[in-house]
């Protein structure tokens, strides 16, 4: 059982470039989340989705976009990358029961230079 | 605003030296508190969920407890493989089921 899979693992972008971070889960979870983690800081929620076709902003959504066309996939789009977006990005998913555990992927380490 | 504060930021222990990590929270209504372990270069790995004051859960050398204002992660006779960053997070009342994370405690256990 693969769980939550993120690609790529590492990426270097130039300022102004765009890219999509991929996230897929095979647990048939309705809820999916994108976080960023900066050194010495807690995980900050960027966007989340409660099901296919439904997304909402988290704490730090500026500079990002998401879509959720299927239950399995929840890609995160960076438009016009900026150095402030240098971070480690984690995708997570959970089932629909109240208080269910969020399961995390291994992360994508992104540097914007 | 919902807040989660973890202390200490870093903790160094000798193998076998027991200690506790603290997670204090200020939330509008607690629906659940989670403890995760994170190893360098990896995603958070679930350890425990606590839902109500007085609840306790154990796993190997780890024991998590919950009061109305804070949670403790007790580590008994730690081993070097327990070295990791331990994250605390809460789910608050409201329909979105979002987690609010603390900054974590980095634990190092020396042999």
């Amino acid at each position: 059982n693969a769980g939550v899979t993120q690609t790529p693992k590492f990426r270097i972008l130039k300022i102004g470039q765009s890219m999509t971070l991929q996230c897929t889960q095979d647990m048939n979870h309705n809820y999916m989340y994108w976080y960023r983690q900066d050194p010495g800081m807690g995980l900050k929620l960027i966007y989340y989705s409660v099901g296919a076709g439904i997304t909402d902003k988290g704490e730090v959504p500026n500079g990002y976009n998401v879509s959720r066309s299927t239950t399995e996939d929840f890609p995160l789009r960076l438009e016009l990358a900026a150095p402030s977006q240098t971070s480690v990005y984690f995708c997570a998913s959970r089932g629909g029961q109240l208080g269910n555990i969020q399961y995390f992927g291994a992360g994508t380490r992104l540097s914007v230079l | 605003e919902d807040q989660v504060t973890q202390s200490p930021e870093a903790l160094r222990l000798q193998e076998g030296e027991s200690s506790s990590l603290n997670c204090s929270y200020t939330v509008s209504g607690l629906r659940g508190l989670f403890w995760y372990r994170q190893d360098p270069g990896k995603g958070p790995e679930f350890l425990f969920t606590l839902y109500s004051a007085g609840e306790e859960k154990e796993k190997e050398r780890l024991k998590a407890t919950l009061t109305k204002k804070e949670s403790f992660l007790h580590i008994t006779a730690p081993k070097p493989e327990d070295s990791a960053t331990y994250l605390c997070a809460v789910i608050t009342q409201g329909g979105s089921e979002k987690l609010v994370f603390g900054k974590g405690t980095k634990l190092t256990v020396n042999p």
Side-chain angles (χ1 to χ4, degrees):
Chain A
N1 192 343
V4 179
T5 302
Q6 292 184 237
T7 56
K9 294 189 186 306
F10 304 96
R11 184 73 184 267
I12 298 175
L13 285 181
K14 294 183 179 179
I15 295 171
Q17 287 185 322
S18 300
M19 75 163 294
T20 299
L21 281 66
Q22 301 292 344
C23 175
T24 187
Q25 52 92 8
D26 62 0
M27 298 174 282
N28 200 33
H29 285 167
N30 288 328
Y31 293 78
M32 295 188 74
Y33 305 82
W34 274 107
Y35 296 88
R36 60 177 288 171
Q37 186 176 40
D38 300 312
M41 304 297 291
L43 286 97
K44 301 292 186 183
L45 183 63
I46 305 171
Y47 271 94
Y48 66 100
S49 169
V50 300
I54 306 171
T55 62
D56 205 351
K57 296 178 181 179
E59 186 179 357
V60 289
N62 292 342
Y64 307 94
N65 278 299
V66 293
S67 60
R68 183 97 181 269
S69 57
T70 67
T71 299
E72 295 78 18
D73 300 308
F74 190 39
L76 178 71
R77 178 80 176 166
L78 278 71
E79 304 282 2
L80 299 175
S84 61
Q85 293 177 303
T86 294
S87 188
V88 182
Y89 292 85
F90 290 101
C91 178
S93 74
R94 71 167 184 87
Q97 293 291 331
L98 177 65
N100 268 15
I101 302 161
Q102 285 191 22
Y103 294 94
F104 285 80
T108 295
R109 185 175 297 274
L110 176 68
S111 294
V112 182
L113 305 176
Chain B
E1 182 180 342
D2 299 328
Q3 283 192 322
V4 176
T5 302
Q6 292 187 245
S7 62
E9 291 185 6
L11 181 63
R12 284 186 175 272
L13 299 174
Q14 289 298 122
E15 184 171 3
E17 179 187 2
S18 302
S19 188
S20 297
L21 313 183
N22 178 263
C23 172
S24 63
Y25 56 90
T26 306
V27 296
S28 54
L30 183 70
R31 300 173 78 187
L33 184 142
F34 294 77
W35 282 99
Y36 284 85
R37 170 190 170 126
Q38 187 175 24
D39 293 300
K42 296 188 177 181
E45 176 185 350
F46 171 76
L47 291 173
F48 303 108
T49 309
L50 301 167
Y51 293 103
S52 57
E55 190 174 358
E56 300 182 351
K57 289 191 177 174
E58 290 188 63
K59 179 181 180 180
E60 296 180 354
R61 295 176 292 282
L62 300 177
K63 178 180 178 180
T65 62
L66 181 65
T67 73
K68 288 185 177 180
K69 294 184 178 181
E70 59 192 349
S71 176
F72 291 94
L73 185 65
H74 306 278
I75 303 175
T76 302
K79 298 182 177 181
E81 53 262 41
D82 294 321
S83 297
T85 296
Y86 291 85
L87 303 174
C88 173
V90 299
I91 296 178
T92 61
Q93 288 191 355
S96 62
E97 289 284 324
K98 293 179 285 188
L99 284 177
V100 177
F101 279 87
K103 295 181 180 181
T105 294
K106 183 176 181 180
L107 174 66
T108 303
V109 182
N110 296 315

